[in-house]
């Protein structure tokens, strides 16, 4: 079964717009939710992460919103730029464990110039 | 610092051949993992390690072996390559729980 469900699969946003990627999970034991950004030909890189004791975390133009009761979390990219065009993965793990992170299937984001 | 180094970058194998994908990190990270990435499937965990001498299975371990004799190295062995193992393989490391992974640049493997 898919433990972390990510949507949409692909997303096209105008420059300056807001990009929103959503994820849902089933395992209530998950307690660490990172987002990774991947450019073509490169490995994923940690973008931002959140723990369920907070409902929102912001770093620059990137914000994670977390809804524990709905078991959902989302990434918002404000003022989206062409350089943000990449594949984004949400992920989850148990016990702050970086030893076993489960990834969503990814969202391919394209920002139109 | 080189970070996480994976070799080779590209490899073509024939069905039934064996090989080892190398992964080394120079950050003294305790945690290391191997993932495979396939189109539309995201990143799936193959094996992981929480320290030298300790390894465990992930979501898709069949057909792969690992060992962790040192903190720095975490090789992935394909025992008898199959076309279903055609994929991009990523090695990653983390210094501790909750700090996020540093990924290598990947090995693109094709099995014919």
């Amino acid at each position: 079964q898919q433990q972390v469900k990510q949507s949409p699969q692909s997303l096209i946003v105008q420059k300056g717009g807001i990009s929103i990627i959503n994820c849902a999970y089933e395992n209530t034991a998950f307690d660490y939710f990172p987002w990774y950004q991947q450019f073509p030909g490169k490995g994923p890189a940690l973008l931002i992460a959140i723990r369920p004791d907070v409902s929102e975390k912001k770093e620059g133009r990137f914000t994670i919103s977390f809804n524990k009761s709905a078991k959902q979390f989302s990434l918002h990219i404000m003022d989206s730029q062409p350089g943000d065009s990449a594949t984004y993965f949400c992920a989850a793990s148990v016990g702050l464990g970086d030893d076993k992170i489960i990834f969503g299937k990814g969202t391919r984001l394209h920002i139109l110039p | 610092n080189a970070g996480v180094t994976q070799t080779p970058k590209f490899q073509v194998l024939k069905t039934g051949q064996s090989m080892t994908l190398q992964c080394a990190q120079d950050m003294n990270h305790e945690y290391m993992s191997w993932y495979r990435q396939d189109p539309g499937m995201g990143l799936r965990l193959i094996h992981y390690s929480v320290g030298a001498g300790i390894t465990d299975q992930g979501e898709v371990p069949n057909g792969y072996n690992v060992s962790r004799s040192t903190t720095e190295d975490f090789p992935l062995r394909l025992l008898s390559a199959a076309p279903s193992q055609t994929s991009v393989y990523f090695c990653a490391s983390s210094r501790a729980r909750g700090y996020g992974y540093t990924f290598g640049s990947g090995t693109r493997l094709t099995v014919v």
Side-chain angles (χ1 to χ4, degrees):
Chain A
Q1 88 248 28
Q2 188 181 349
Q3 296 197 54
V4 179
K5 295 184 179 181
Q6 183 172 348
S7 62
Q9 280 187 305
S10 62
L11 181 62
I12 300 174
V13 175
Q14 291 281 350
K15 178 182 176 181
I18 302 174
S19 303
I20 302 174
I21 302 171
N22 300 300
C23 285
Y25 63 97
E26 290 296 325
N27 187 350
T28 55
F30 285 148
D31 61 1
Y32 176 65
F33 301 91
W35 285 86
Y36 285 81
Q37 179 188 57
Q38 184 181 30
F39 294 105
K42 304 292 186 182
L46 179 66
L47 187 62
I48 186 173
I50 197 168
R51 298 189 179 128
D53 53 341
V54 297
S55 60
E56 185 175 282
K57 182 174 182 179
K58 183 177 180 179
E59 290 185 4
R61 296 184 293 109
F62 299 90
T63 299
I64 300 178
S65 298
F66 186 83
N67 186 329
K68 187 174 182 178
S69 61
K71 292 185 287 186
Q72 294 176 347
F73 59 111
S74 60
L75 176 69
H76 290 63
I77 306 175
M78 313 299 289
D79 187 27
S80 299
Q81 299 297 312
D84 297 329
S85 297
T87 299
Y88 292 81
F89 294 96
C90 63
S93 69
V94 177
L96 299 180
D98 281 304
D99 52 335
K100 196 171 183 178
I101 292 183
I102 306 300
F103 285 82
K105 292 188 176 182
T107 296
R108 185 171 291 184
L109 174 65
H110 182 66
I111 307 300
L112 297 173
Chain B
N1 283 351
V4 178
T5 301
Q6 291 185 238
T7 57
K9 292 191 182 302
F10 301 94
Q11 183 70 47
V12 179
L13 285 181
K14 294 182 179 179
T15 297
Q17 287 185 319
S18 62
M19 80 159 293
T20 298
L21 307 185
Q22 301 292 343
C23 176
Q25 53 93 6
D26 61 359
M27 298 173 284
N28 201 32
H29 285 176
E30 288 296 322
Y31 298 94
M32 296 186 75
S33 294
W34 276 101
Y35 287 86
R36 60 177 289 173
Q37 183 173 24
D38 303 290
M41 297 297 292
L43 293 146
R44 292 182 292 171
L45 181 64
I46 305 171
H47 286 285
Y48 65 99
S49 169
V50 299
I54 306 170
T55 64
D56 204 348
Q57 296 182 351
E59 303 169 84
V60 289
N62 293 341
Y64 307 95
N65 273 356
V66 292
S67 60
R68 184 101 181 267
S69 56
T70 66
T71 298
E72 294 78 20
D73 299 301
F74 192 42
L76 178 72
R77 297 182 186 85
L78 279 71
L79 308 174
S80 177
S84 61
Q85 293 178 306
T86 293
S87 186
V88 180
Y89 291 85
F90 287 101
C91 178
S93 73
S94 174
R95 63 170 170 159
R97 297 179 186 273
Y99 279 86
Y101 272 131
T102 298
F103 280 82
S105 57
T107 294
R108 184 174 295 272
L109 175 68
T110 301
V111 182
V112 298

